[in-house]
């Protein structure tokens, strides 16, 4: 059983977070988001002029008709820009699409890339997105009926946010957009986890998006009484007077932990349990209920099989409202607080980037996943003294005001994430770190004399931009391994039409090659081209291609090859006249004896084919000459391994018995035979000697 170093056992129901993406104010990706959090940056700014005229809409009186009380918010730049060609979308359809759909597409692609998983990976991938507003639909409506086109319905329907991602990436699992008000994206994640646990999905993409394109929804927040006049979120602070609106989005890619380990996926953290409930009948539709919030905390904790004192941190819903904060604090203190010991640390990402409303929960989850992965707690901003209605000490809570270590880094890092909807739909998720037992170190093969770095993009311009970004990344991170970079580029990125490869002996040469691609200049070791659809053929050679020691270095470098080679050699032992592996590697016996020659070539070729398949290389056609014909037929599924070994062994013995020890006496070419087994159609061309 895989375990944490601290002894906390991994469970069958643990779900791994294997990929992250986010687009947030002043944080276009998870790495920059972590820096923003760690450094305590407030990304809230004045309203950009291209959104609306803040002065014209502003009034200090919250009751002023049609006016809003705040001039500030968390905004993304250039939300009107979108690379439609990349996703195969026409300009007209792209213009009709809600920018939230466009943002969801970009976030989904980036989450797959972050995980090193191709969207085309086998299995069912579910898509679950949270979103609550549709500002873009209002803009289209204002243009009148003549603005309605064939793309309007699909472009503006909020349900299409998830469906668009499924369609564009070819994902066949469940696909739905969730609207439970401000808890939407965390509820979407809960549904994604449940889909994985039921076996309905093999992978799941969960996230949320929110864009503030119009002032009217900010007017609505003002009239509701939830908006902060000073444009800051003072979570749990005495100055708490409301929240500030934010925009952007985030996604996480999820897989059951056992499957993630088997696939070698990166694991940021694991989801140990989650729960959803509703306040039910209370003082009003929008008044939060402490009992219901405490109950959802308890349900999630019990499903995670975690004791209250094991939780070290909770990412709050933490809107900074006069009513909501005291209720949340009371529920949290009653369920997880520790007034007689080390206080529970709490904080809120809303103090950094604002309240993303439908996307708020996933932002808090990504923050917490990064904090677990980095093994540090970032500060929560704008806290000076506690709200008089929140007795932190008595509740056993402490605001995380400075960046620092977890309270007990030697124990499993366990955290909760809360998100509560305006209509009382509450969600809580329990996260934990994942520290697998370390396997004994194995000797690494000698570095390759040259390493190819592969790049691909939808256009020449995008290819050049990608080369520039990679060159900059490598310069900023001098410790990166060149072979690791080459492996990741070749195996974890979708191969697009415009391609380039840099073949270099060292990092400096590779960076020069990338710079040449970015500049559009010629450089040694750089090849550019545009790929076209075609077929791949592999040919298996016959007797005469053998050499003593073939496969020895491959066995040392690639476990897949070694396993397949040893398996095939083992099947020959006893029927080839000696231990085949030893003969091939120069031991007793002669590889020039036909019985060993043919068996050795068959073992080498089958193992090499298995290695290529493990890298994702699958041929459309297979050709074989002499014993290579049998190897081709076996990997195509014509012969089982035992039948192929028996045939090769008998063939080798019979040819060995011929005058001259099996020298080639005739060549007869047969017609190509179409056989099932690999891809849609595989041809095996047999050349008999």
């Amino acid at each position: 059983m895989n375990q944490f170093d601290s002894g906390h056992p991994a469970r069958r129901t643990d779900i791994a977070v294997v990929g992250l993406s986010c687009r947030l104010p002043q944080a276009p990706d998870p790495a920059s988001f972590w820096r923003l959090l760690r450094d305590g940056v407030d990304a809230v700014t004045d309203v950009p002029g291209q959104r609306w005229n803040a002065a014209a809409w502003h009034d200090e009186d919250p009751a002023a008709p049609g006016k809003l009380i705040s001039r500030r918010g968390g905004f993304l730049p250039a939300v009107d820009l979108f690379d439609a060609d990349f996703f195969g979308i026409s300009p007209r359809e792209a213009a009709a699409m809600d920018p939230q759909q466009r943002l969801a597409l970009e976030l989904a692609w980036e989450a797959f890339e972050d995980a090193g998983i191709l969207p085309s990976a086998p299995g069912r991938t579910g898509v679950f997105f949270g979103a609550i507003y549709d500002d873009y639909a209002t803009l289209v409506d204002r243009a009148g009926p003549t603005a309605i086109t064939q793309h309007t319905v699909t472009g503006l329907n909020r349900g299409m946010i998830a469906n668009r991602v499924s369609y564009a990436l070819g994902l066949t699992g469940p696909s739905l957009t969730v609207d439970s008000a401000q808890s939407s994206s965390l509820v979407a994640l809960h549904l994604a986890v449940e889909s994985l646990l039921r076996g309905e999905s093999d992978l799941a993409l969960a996230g949320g998006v929110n864009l503030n394109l119009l002032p009217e929804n900010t007017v609505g927040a003002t009239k509701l009484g939830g908006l902060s006049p000073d444009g800051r979120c003072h979570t749990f602070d005495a100055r708490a007077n409301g929240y500030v609106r934010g925009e952007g989005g985030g996604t996480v890619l999820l897989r059951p932990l056992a499957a993630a380990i088997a696939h070698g996926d990166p694991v940021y953290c694991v989801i140990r349990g989650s729960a959803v409930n509703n306040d039910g009948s209370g003082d009003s539709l929008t008044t939060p209920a402490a009992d219901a919030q405490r109950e959802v905390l308890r349900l999630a904790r019990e499903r995670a099989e975690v004791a209250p004192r094991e939780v070290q941190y909770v990412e709050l819903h933490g809107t900074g409202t006069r009513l909501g904060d005291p209720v949340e604090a009371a529920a949290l203190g009653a369920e997880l607080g520790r007034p007689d010991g080390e206080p529970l640390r709490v904080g809120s990402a809303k103090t950094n980037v604002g309240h993303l409303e439908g996307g708020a929960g996933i932002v808090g989850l990504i923050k917490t996943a990064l904090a677990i992965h980095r093994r540090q707690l970032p500060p929560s901003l704008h806290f000076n003294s506690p709200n008089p209605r929140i007795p932190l000490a008595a509740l056993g809570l402490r605001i995380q005001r400075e960046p620092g270590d977890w309270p007990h880094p030697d124990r499993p890092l366990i955290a909760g994430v809360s998100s509560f909807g305006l209509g009382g739909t509450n969600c809580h998720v329990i996260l934990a770190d994942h520290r697998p037992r370390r396997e004994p170190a194995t000797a690494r093969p000698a570095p390759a004399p040259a390493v190819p770095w592969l790049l691909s993009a939808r256009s020449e311009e995008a290819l050049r931009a990608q080369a520039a970004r990679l060159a900059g990344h490598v310069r900023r991170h001098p410790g990166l391994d060149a072979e690791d970079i080459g492996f990741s580029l070749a195996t974890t990125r979708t191969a697009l039409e415009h391609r380039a490869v840099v073949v270099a002996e060292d990092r400096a040469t590779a960076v020069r090659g990338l710079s040449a691609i970015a500049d559009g200049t010629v450089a040694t070791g750089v090849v550019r081209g545009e790929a076209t659809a075609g077929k791949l053929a592999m040919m298996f050679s016959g007797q005469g291609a053998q050499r003593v020691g073939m496969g020895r270095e491959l066995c040392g470098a690639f476990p897949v090859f070694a396993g397949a080679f040893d398996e095939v050699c083992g099947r020959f032992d006893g029927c080839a006249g000696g231990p085949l592996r030893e003969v091939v590697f120069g031991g007793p016996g002669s590889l020039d004896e036909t019985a060993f020659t043919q068996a050795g070539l068959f073992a080498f070729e089958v193992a090499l084919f298995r290695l290529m398949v493990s890298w994702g290389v699958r041929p459309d056609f297979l050709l074989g000459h002499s014993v290579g014909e049998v190897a081709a037929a076996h990997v195509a599924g014509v012969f089982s391994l035992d039948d192929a070994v028996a045939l090769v062994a008998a063939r080798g013995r019979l040819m060995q018995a011929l005058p001259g020890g099996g020298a080639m006496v005739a060549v007869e070419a047969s017609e190509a035979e179409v056989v099932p087994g690999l891809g849609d159609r595989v041809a095996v061309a047999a050349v008999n000697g």
Side-chain angles (χ1 to χ4, degrees), residues 69-239:
I69 200 170
S70 176
R71 298 172 181 260
R72 294 173 62 78
F75 293 95
L76 298 182
V79 293
D80 57 323
L81 300 183
F82 175 63
D83 189 352
D85 285 345
F86 183 87
F87 294 102
I89 298 171
S90 70
R92 287 186 178 181
E93 186 170 11
M97 286 168 55
D98 186 333
Q100 292 181 129
Q101 288 189 31
R102 307 175 202 165
L103 179 58
L105 285 171
E106 294 169 346
L107 290 170
W109 185 271
E110 290 165 8
F112 275 102
E113 285 208 332
D114 184 62
I117 298 173
L118 302 183
S120 58
R124 293 160 300 179
T125 299
V127 180
F128 305 81
F129 264 88
I132 66 175
Y133 289 125
D134 44 18
D135 291 15
Y136 198 66
T138 302
L139 285 171
V140 174
D141 287 344
R142 287 177 182 174
T146 58
I148 299 173
T149 72
Q150 70 203 78
H151 302 301
T152 299
V153 172
T154 56
L156 301 183
N157 187 305
R158 208 156 55 232
M160 290 290 170
I161 294 174
N163 299 162
R164 180 80 68 174
V165 171
S166 296
Y167 174 75
L169 303 187
L171 309 178
T172 58
S175 180
L176 59 147
T177 303
V178 177
D179 183 352
S180 60
Q182 287 76 7
S183 60
S184 296
S185 60
L186 206 62
V187 171
L189 179 126
H190 167 79
L191 295 176
V193 168
E194 292 296 312
S195 182
L196 291 167
L197 293 176
R198 289 195 304 270
E200 183 180 57
S201 299
D202 302 301
L203 281 166
L205 191 73
V209 289
N210 190 62
L211 292 177
N212 302 321
L213 307 180
L214 297 173
E216 281 85 347
N217 283 327
T218 307
V219 173
T222 296
K223 304 313 175 192
L224 185 67
L227 211 61
S228 167
D230 61 12
R232 284 189 174 86
C233 185
H234 302 281
T235 301
F236 282 20
D237 190 82
R239 298 167 295 164

Side-chain angles (χ1 to χ4, degrees), residues 264-510:
D265 296 334
V267 177
Y268 285 94
C269 64
V270 296
I271 298 171
R272 295 188 63 85
S274 62
V276 173
N277 73 358
N278 191 272
D279 291 345
S281 179
D283 293 342
S284 74
L285 174 65
T286 60
T287 300
D291 289 345
Q293 291 185 11
R294 180 180 182 181
E295 176 68 3
V296 82
L297 294 169
R298 182 189 65 79
L299 288 171
R301 181 183 57 74
E302 290 183 352
R303 289 174 184 174
E305 299 177 6
V306 166
R309 289 184 177 272
E310 291 183 277
V311 180
Q312 299 194 43
Y313 174 80
V314 167
E315 175 67 13
L316 303 166
H317 180 62
T319 54
T321 57
R322 293 186 177 93
L323 179 61
D325 278 8
V327 171
E328 180 174 10
L332 193 58
E335 180 61 27
L336 297 176
R338 295 185 283 270
D340 57 345
E342 176 73 28
L344 175 69
R345 309 294 178 92
V346 299
S348 174
K350 294 177 179 65
T351 63
N352 300 93
V353 296
H355 188 353
L356 264 71
E357 297 163 324
I362 203 68
V363 174
L365 187 129
I366 291 173
K367 170 191 171 179
T368 310
L370 291 171
I372 290 173
H373 184 63
R374 302 274 185 163
R375 306 188 69 79
Q376 283 190 307
L377 289 174
S380 192
L381 308 183
H382 311 314
F383 181 85
N384 291 334
S385 58
N387 186 319
R389 297 175 60 196
I390 303 177
L392 289 175
L395 293 171
L397 308 176
R398 177 189 296 174
I399 301 293
Q400 182 68 29
R401 302 178 63 180
E402 302 291 338
D405 295 332
W406 286 68
H408 300 284
D410 55 321
R411 303 176 188 172
L413 306 186
I414 297 178
V417 181
S418 291
S419 190
F420 307 138
L422 184 65
T425 297
N426 309 310
C427 184
H428 190 75
V429 178
I430 299 291
L431 306 180
D433 61 347
H434 170 68
R435 290 176 280 167
R437 287 175 173 170
R438 295 181 180 179
E439 300 295 332
T442 56
R444 181 165 182 168
V451 178
W453 287 7
L454 283 67
L455 301 174
S456 72
R458 293 287 190 202
S459 65
E460 179 66 25
E461 181 182 8
L463 184 69
R464 292 170 62 173
Q466 187 180 128
R469 287 196 301 271
L470 181 57
H473 181 75
V474 173
R475 290 190 188 100
R476 291 191 300 273
H477 300 86
L480 293 175
D481 183 86
E483 290 190 47
D484 286 347
I485 294 172
F487 179 83
S488 296
L489 290 171
T491 62
T492 68
R493 294 294 182 265
T494 300
L496 305 175
E497 297 86 356
H498 291 265
R499 301 181 187 178
V501 60
V502 178
V503 181
E505 298 179 0
D506 52 52
R507 286 165 45 88
T509 307

